[in-house]
């Protein structure tokens, strides 16, 4: 039923990957940018399911007290479109299985997390995923590194803004 993240590499389709963040710069991408992006493995996180583009790899990061019900509703609403997504879940957050239900999805990958030290040293370990500063992007970076991509790109990681691509959009 569940798979280990070390097996994600079997679902890799490109030597290039892109992480699409939820920042407002996503709205600046042109149709030719999207054509190029769709040639890569697309990685996302957080509330990406609001966007029309369906990723290949989705690290679901949900705070139980903040966006659980919304996430549950959105994943259920987009269940058919997301049936081939590779879901990446922290095995200690059991409530994530109430959002990404094993009865609805086949590609659910679980990881064990370890925390990197403050000494700057890092040795990748395929049996677990390393996190720094409790930031989920470092988990994704660790997984992308384990996938041996030749190039990794980032869009929508807008460190200058706390807004999202859906901010101020009534739809």
């Amino acid at each position: 039923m569940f798979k280990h993240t070390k097996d994600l590499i079997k679902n890799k389709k490109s030597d290039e990957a892109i992480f699409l963040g939820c920042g407002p710069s996503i709205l600046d991408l042109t149709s030719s940018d999207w054509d190029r992006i769709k040639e890569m493995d697309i990685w996302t996180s957080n509330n990406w399911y609001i966007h029309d583009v369906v990723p290949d790899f989705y690290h679901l990061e949900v705070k139980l007290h903040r966006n659980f019900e919304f996430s549950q509703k959105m994943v259920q609403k987009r269940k058919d479109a997301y049936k081939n997504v590779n879901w990446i879940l922290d095995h200690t957050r059991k409530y994530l299985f109430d959002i990404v239900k094993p009865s609805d999805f086949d590609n659910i990958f679980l990881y064990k997390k370890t925390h990197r030290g403050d000494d700057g040293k890092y040795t990748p370990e395929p049996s677990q995923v390393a996190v720094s500063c409790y930031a989920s992007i470092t988990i994704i970076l660790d997984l992308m590194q384990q996938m041996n991509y030749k190039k990794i790109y980032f869009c929508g990681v807008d460190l200058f803004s706390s807004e999202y691509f859906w901010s101020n959009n009534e739809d």
Side-chain angles (χ1 to χ4, degrees):
M1 179 191 306
F2 298 117
K3 303 169 191 170
H4 192 282
T5 52
K6 68 182 178 184
D7 295 322
L8 277 172
I9 198 161
K10 295 174 185 172
N11 296 347
K12 180 179 165 183
K13 15 170 250 204
S14 175
D15 281 333
E16 296 181 324
I18 188 163
F19 176 78
L20 298 175
C22 294
S25 65
I26 287 294
L27 300 174
D28 297 333
L29 296 171
T30 66
S31 60
S32 63
D33 293 332
W34 285 112
D35 289 343
R36 173 71 175 107
I37 287 168
K38 289 175 183 176
E39 295 173 359
M40 303 178 213
D41 282 353
I42 299 173
W43 290 68
T44 60
S45 188
N46 300 329
N47 293 321
W48 182 261
Y49 36 65
I50 294 171
H51 201 281
D52 292 339
V53 171
V54 176
D56 301 297
F57 300 89
Y58 201 131
H59 176 256
L60 189 63
E61 184 74 17
V62 173
K63 303 295 187 245
L64 189 57
H65 65 283
R66 189 177 304 152
N67 63 337
F68 173 80
E69 289 179 15
F70 180 72
S71 296
Q72 197 174 35
K73 180 179 115 183
M74 289 301 295
V75 170
Q76 189 61 34
K77 179 180 177 181
R78 304 217 47 211
K79 179 173 67 173
D80 291 338
Y82 275 63
K83 67 180 180 217
N84 294 320
V85 168
N86 297 287
W87 293 96
I88 302 164
L89 309 178
D90 180 339
H91 83 286
T92 65
R93 295 184 181 181
K94 302 296 184 199
Y95 61 88
L96 293 176
F97 306 124
D98 292 327
I99 299 170
V100 177
K101 297 176 182 173
S103 59
D104 293 337
F105 300 101
D106 292 327
N107 290 329
I108 300 174
F109 294 84
L110 306 180
Y111 63 86
K112 292 183 181 180
K113 185 169 36 182
T114 185
H115 294 271
R116 293 183 189 157
D118 294 330
D119 61 4
K121 296 179 181 177
Y122 166 63
T123 303
E125 175 56 52
S127 66
Q128 52 192 353
V129 177
V131 62
S132 296
C133 305
Y134 299 95
S136 59
I137 189 69
T138 63
I139 291 169
I140 296 165
L141 283 168
D142 191 64
L143 289 168
M144 289 174 135
Q145 176 279 135
Q146 290 180 29
M147 300 272 284
N148 298 314
Y149 287 108
K150 291 183 179 174
K151 291 184 180 180
I152 298 173
Y153 302 91
F154 295 86
C155 286
V157 182
D158 303 337
L159 302 177
F160 62 88
S161 173
S162 60
E163 290 189 337
Y164 302 100
F165 65 78
W166 60 83
S167 295
N168 304 314
N169 181 339
E170 292 179 17
D171 292 337

